[in-house]
Amino acid sequence: MSEMLSGGDMLIRALQDEGVEYVFGYPGGAALHIYDAIFRQQKIEHILVRHEQAATHMADGYARATGKTGVVLVTSGPGATNAITGIATAYMDSIPMVVLSGQVATAQIGTDAFQETDMIGVSRPVVKHSFLVKNAADIPLTIKKAFHIASTGRPGPVVVDIPKDTTDPAAAFPYEYPEQIRLRSYNPAVQGNGRQIRLALATLLAADRPIVYAGGGVVLGEGADALTRIARLLNLPVTNTLMGLGSFPGNDPQFVGMLGMHGTYEANMAMHHCDVILAVGARFDDRVTNAPDKFCPQAKVIHIDVDPTSISKIIPAHVPIVGRVANVLDSMEQLLAEEQERAPDKLDRNRIAAWWKTIDGWRAEHGLNHDLKPVAGQPILPQMVIQALYKATKGEAFVASDVGQHQMFAAQYYKFPKPRRWINSGGLGMGFGLPAAMGVVFGHPGATVACVTGEGSFMMNMQELSTCLQYGLPVKIINLNNQALGMVKQWQDMQYGGRHSSSTYSDSLPDFKTLVEAFGHVGIRVDQAEDLEPAMRRVFSDELRNRLVFLDVWVDRHEHVYPMAIKGGAMNEMFLGKTLKTENG
Amino acid sequence: MRRILAVLLENEAGALSRVVGLFAQRNYNIESLTVAPTEDETLSRLTLTTSGDDSKIEQITKHLHRLIEVVKVLDLTGTDHVERELMLVKIRAEGTARDEIKRTSDIFRGQIIDITANSFTVQLTGPSDKLDAFVRAIGKNLILELARTGVSGISRGDKVLSL
């Protein structure tokens, strides 16, 4: 005999059976039966946020840092619409997430009832899939499907919209959670095509100037270890996308840095001049390719991705391979082992020595300076702050970030040794960093979690400081305060004659130290270069280990992010400084 | 180039809106769309005409496959197939013109399915260009109302699109 449970209890039991630890959410009328079911159990902890957008980003940060599916619970109407930005973020960056939204009772749907929004309709373009629960009895199977779809193939957010009557405690149904699920219309590729993998390897081994271009799919597809082994075996230069940072150790000499709009000189030059690109879990985003018709003119493209729509979408692939990154790379490693037996000279690390010499030349010429020294009396450069952070955390922190200049500085200067350490909104926007960092703390209690942000981004979700106090979340917020919307201002400086239209705040910024103190946390302000490193050490000291600390660093207001791709150009066309451009640019 | 895609999808509420939403979202064009359940009531079959070069159609096909409720997609244009469309057209038919309209309708193998003193309603099936030709032959001035179903198609021979 199956146990008899109400819809609300079945929902929570299904989450338990799915192994869910945390639900990030905010209650409201249509979700109250569900909230009552949460109250009457112990296994799942509900984290009360201050705004639903933060709940989605928190679940997202938790998912990125752990690889598990993040879970969100919101009410109908405003709760649901507030969650949209976070759902869209998870969709753009392919993050596994299940969003449960309360809905008005079935009989009221379509009547413009209080707090009624067509959540299925509103969310449709930004979800991997969605379900509207029609009958309470369907709840266990629907939840099983939602988690299956969210976490397999190319991951993404799944919305389950739950009308209030289906969670009514007055009606009980036999509960059984399905062990397995098969959907006839959903069978994501796992193994790659063997012949294609062979062809890819032959192409790679024949290359004179190969490069590995690894994206977020390597992190999500658990392929980082295999990728690192293959790249090291063959002595391949590796570049990462913004989303892929950490999929190859950032402190490895074979790592040439991030590529793209603010990629390193050597990464972009190596891409432009290479003859074979091994693209893994990357999607040739416009922030990478610049002008697609000028992209890497001599390159043959091998493209491994779990999502066939990513292949040949922007740049045609010569050797397309559809499959889960880890599985495809494992097959590739097996073939490499056979090759090593048969023809070890093909795998000679010195075969591409000339190519490395060229790359090292580019690196020496215009590579990033990872050893900037703060000088007393001089302005603090934002890059120095990231270096100080890297030093103080020994490169071992989880670093969440928002969007803007601070994000690019963090991506360029923090050398991530492992995947899932860089928690960053690649496809969407500001306001992500703090809540995402909070999600990381839930996923990895006791770990060092920093949030590199700017005033603009931080103020978009700073209400969550209150949530941090409630749950004791010791996030270290590193605020690169340039008193402006830095990236907007940079574009205005470079492309709009320095007209700063709505990118500064006219001295209206709050005193952040006082602000975070009002929320019960620790605030530190630094505006002198000589104070930077000691202050950073204090942030990460044992004394403040269990406290949220906000380090407000007043940085040089005029610093820009370089290199910067020249609009409409090829990958080798970059601004390298305010007056310096690449020769062909 | 005009393409006809046949799509089998789960016969569930909201499935069609995802297909239509995909086309709007990705800036693809839908010229016609017809949809109804198949002999297996859990499946709907949708026939859609769009246009684009090979790479665009490849992307459209892949994106359709990515929708969870889409079971199968076939580009009929690339295979030997038959296509038909049905049109109902109400034509002003008065005096001597009535005979001429009747004759024209016969030539196109149309059926007059309703008459009044002043009008005929003609039902016509065939490939879209035949329907276009009939509309031209009658002339826009005489057409009072027109309803077309959009193209439906199926491949020739023993090949079938099924689970």
Side-chain angles (χ1 to χ4, degrees):
Chain A
M1 260 297 277
S2 326
E3 201 176 343
M4 298 297 284
L5 296 176
S6 73
D9 287 328
M10 283 201 292
L11 175 65
I12 299 307
R13 180 67 73 83
L15 296 181
Q16 290 175 355
D17 287 346
E18 202 53 54
V20 173
E21 302 168 286
Y22 298 104
V23 172
F24 304 92
Y26 202 104
L32 284 181
H33 294 329
I34 306 171
Y35 272 88
D36 193 59
I38 291 179
F39 190 87
R40 290 181 278 99
Q41 56 87 53
Q42 306 296 327
K43 281 191 186 162
I44 295 173
E45 191 181 355
H46 178 268
I47 308 303
L48 175 66
V49 298
R50 301 299 180 264
H51 186 292
E52 289 89 347
Q53 184 191 339
T56 51
H57 289 331
M58 239 176 264
D60 182 318
Y62 172 86
R64 287 181 205 239
T66 61
K68 297 176 195 167
T69 300
V71 184
V72 176
L73 172 59
V74 295
T75 189
S76 64
T81 56
N82 276 348
I84 291 293
T85 299
I87 297 172
T89 304
Y91 183 68
M92 279 298 263
D93 290 352
S94 310
I95 304 304
M97 182 185 287
V98 170
V99 179
L100 311 166
S101 54
Q103 182 55 277
V104 299
T106 309
Q108 285 185 302
I109 290 178
T111 65
D112 299 325
F114 176 63
Q115 296 197 334
E116 180 191 356
T117 299
D118 172 14
M119 180 55 168
I120 297 294
V122 170
S123 64
R124 200 190 55 228
V126 294
V127 295
K128 184 171 174 186
H129 197 54
S130 50
F131 296 95
L132 173 66
V133 174
K134 294 266 173 63
N135 302 296
D138 298 340
I139 287 175
L141 183 61
T142 304
I143 294 299
K144 183 77 192 175
K145 284 184 188 172
F147 276 85
H148 175 62
I149 291 170
S151 61
T152 53
R154 179 176 180 171
V158 175
V159 163
V160 183
D161 202 27
I162 308 166
K164 191 168 183 181
D165 52 307
T166 65
T167 53
D168 189 344
F173 305 85
Y175 174 82
E176 225 164 311
Y177 198 62
E179 292 258 321
Q180 285 202 333
I181 183 127
R182 239 198 103 257
L183 296 169
R184 64 179 173 185
S185 57
Y186 176 69
N187 298 294
V190 179
Q191 304 294 346
N193 178 303
R195 268 184 48 201
Q196 289 292 92
I197 297 174
R198 238 169 242 283
L199 179 60
L201 200 58
T203 308
L204 193 61
L205 291 176
D208 294 321
R209 299 182 309 282
I211 187 164
V212 179
Y213 153 48
V218 180
V219 178
L220 295 165
E222 303 292 348
D225 289 347
L227 182 81
T228 304
R229 287 193 299 269
I230 293 171
R232 282 184 175 153
L233 180 70
L234 300 176
N235 196 24
L236 302 169
V238 181
T239 179
N240 278 162
T241 67
L242 179 68
M243 291 301 296
L245 291 174
S247 65
F248 186 79
N251 44 12
D252 189 297
Q254 276 173 240
F255 185 59
V256 296
M258 181 172 77
L259 83 170
M261 178 168 277
H262 294 296
T264 64
Y265 177 72
E266 58 268 37
N268 287 341
M269 292 297 279
M271 283 293 286
H272 186 80
H273 292 278
C274 75
D275 64 351
V276 170
I277 297 173
L278 175 61
V280 194
R283 58 185 174 91
F284 295 86
D285 175 84
D286 55 278
R287 286 292 188 268
V288 163
T289 60
N290 207 355
D293 54 327
K294 298 178 186 166
F295 178 78
C296 305
Q298 301 144 46
K300 270 195 180 166
V301 176
I302 303 164
H303 194 172
I304 304 170
D305 205 290
V306 73
D307 180 2
T309 65
S310 287
I311 292 177
S312 299
K313 181 175 66 176
I314 312 284
I315 302 294
H318 299 84
V319 189
I321 302 171
V322 179
R324 190 167 168 267
V325 168
N327 298 63
V328 174
L329 292 179
D330 285 350
S331 311
M332 204 175 255
E333 267 196 296
Q334 282 170 23
L335 292 176
L336 268 172
E338 291 168 22
E339 199 71 26
Q340 216 161 6
E341 295 266 311
R342 203 172 38 226
D345 53 311
K346 269 199 189 168
L347 275 57
D348 180 8
R349 291 176 56 85
N350 292 321
R351 214 179 54 75
I352 55 168
W355 175 229
W356 267 115
K357 211 176 151 201
T358 312
I359 293 172
D360 286 335
W362 287 323
R363 182 140 53 183
E365 203 180 351
H366 294 298
L368 300 174
N369 179 359
H370 281 277
D371 198 23
L372 294 163
K373 297 264 190 294
V375 179
Q378 297 282 320
I380 303 173
L381 293 178
Q383 296 91 327
M384 293 171 182
V385 184
I386 308 301
Q387 288 179 0
L389 171 67
Y390 184 76
K391 257 200 251 173
T393 57
K394 301 180 181 68
E396 289 295 322
F398 287 85
V399 179
S401 178
D402 279 287
V403 168
Q405 285 186 322
H406 66 268
Q407 172 196 30
M408 291 299 123
F409 290 129
Q412 289 178 331
Y413 287 87
Y414 200 99
K415 293 172 275 188
F416 293 93
K418 288 181 187 163
R420 302 198 178 279
R421 290 287 178 82
W422 168 235
I423 310 295
N424 157 74
S425 160
L428 246 61
M430 297 163 66
F432 174 82
L434 174 60
M438 294 160 66
V440 177
V441 177
F442 284 107
H444 294 281
T448 303
V449 182
C451 168
V452 173
T453 188
E455 339 74 67
S457 291
F458 173 71
M459 285 193 290
M460 282 198 181
N461 264 324
M462 64 180 177
Q463 76 285 347
E464 298 307 319
L465 287 173
S466 171
T467 311
C468 287
L469 188 70
Q470 183 173 356
Y471 297 97
L473 308 178
V475 176
K476 313 301 183 201
I477 302 169
I478 313 300
N479 187 40
L480 304 188
N481 190 340
N482 58 4
Q483 305 156 65
L485 302 175
M487 191 56 94
V488 171
K489 187 164 153 268
Q490 172 167 347
W491 282 52
Q492 289 169 340
D493 282 337
M494 296 176 77
Q495 294 169 26
Y496 297 89
R499 294 182 296 280
H500 296 159
S501 179
S502 293
S503 57
T504 57
Y505 319 99
S506 312
D507 298 322
S508 62
L509 283 176
D511 173 357
F512 286 107
K513 184 174 182 299
T514 319
L515 177 88
V516 296
E517 283 169 1
F519 276 97
H521 304 300
V522 180
I524 303 172
R525 172 173 162 159
V526 170
D527 47 22
Q528 298 300 318
E530 62 271 29
D531 298 338
L532 174 63
E533 293 196 352
M536 192 65 83
R537 283 196 294 274
R538 196 172 154 232
V539 170
F540 293 96
S541 65
D542 282 344
E543 172 209 352
L544 297 176
R545 165 156 286 278
N546 298 319
R547 301 293 302 275
L548 183 148
V549 187
F550 186 100
L551 183 67
D552 186 26
V553 189
W554 285 54
V555 296
D556 187 347
R557 307 173 58 161
H558 307 293
E559 185 64 7
H560 286 172
V561 183
Y562 296 107
M564 180 168 176
I566 296 172
K567 201 166 172 267
M571 285 199 77
N572 63 338
E573 297 176 64
M574 294 164 262
F575 289 103
L576 299 168
K578 280 185 185 156
T579 53
L580 186 62
K581 279 207 259 185
T582 50
E583 277 164 24
N584 40 354
Chain B
M1 184 190 161
R2 177 172 167 274
R3 300 292 191 111
I4 305 171
L5 300 178
V7 181
L8 284 181
L9 80 164
E10 298 286 354
N11 185 10
E12 283 171 7
L16 180 62
S17 74
R18 285 184 221 274
V19 173
V20 175
L22 166 68
F23 276 72
Q25 204 177 324
R26 302 265 170 196
N27 205 14
Y28 304 143
N29 181 31
I30 297 182
E31 282 162 20
S32 77
L33 176 68
T34 156
V35 61
T38 65
E39 82 289 356
D40 173 353
E41 68 278 8
T42 66
L43 286 174
S44 291
R45 182 172 173 130
L46 181 152
T47 314
L48 189 153
T49 56
T50 182
S51 54
D53 58 15
D54 284 351
S55 70
K56 188 159 186 182
I57 298 303
E58 187 186 326
Q59 275 299 314
I60 292 177
T61 308
K62 289 197 289 192
H63 275 291
L64 280 168
H65 269 298
R66 195 162 83 157
L67 296 176
I68 307 293
E69 283 149 336
V70 168
V71 186
K72 286 260 168 84
V73 182
L74 177 66
D75 180 0
L76 283 174
T77 333
T79 67
D80 196 9
H81 70 282
V82 282
E83 55 179 277
R84 291 290 181 271
E85 192 179 351
L86 183 141
M87 176 167 76
L88 300 175
V89 54
K90 196 172 282 183
I91 301 164
R92 189 188 308 136
E94 290 164 337
T96 52
R98 288 174 81 90
D99 283 350
E100 180 59 24
I101 293 165
K102 170 83 171 64
R103 271 195 301 276
T104 310
S105 168
D106 287 344
I107 291 167
F108 279 85
R109 297 177 202 280
Q111 289 169 286
I112 296 174
I113 54 171
D114 189 34
I115 57 171
T116 71
N118 303 315
S119 72
F120 288 157
T121 299
V122 177
Q123 170 191 310
L124 198 65
T125 52
S128 303
D129 51 0
K130 175 182 155 187
L131 272 49
D132 296 340
F134 180 74
V135 170
R136 278 197 303 273
I138 295 295
K140 282 189 180 153
N141 290 341
L142 292 182
I143 293 179
L144 299 169
E145 191 180 349
L146 187 149
R148 293 172 73 150
T149 58
V151 175
S152 191
I154 201 161
S155 52
R156 283 191 187 275
D158 293 333
K159 206 174 142 191
V160 293
L161 179 65
S162 64
L163 285 183

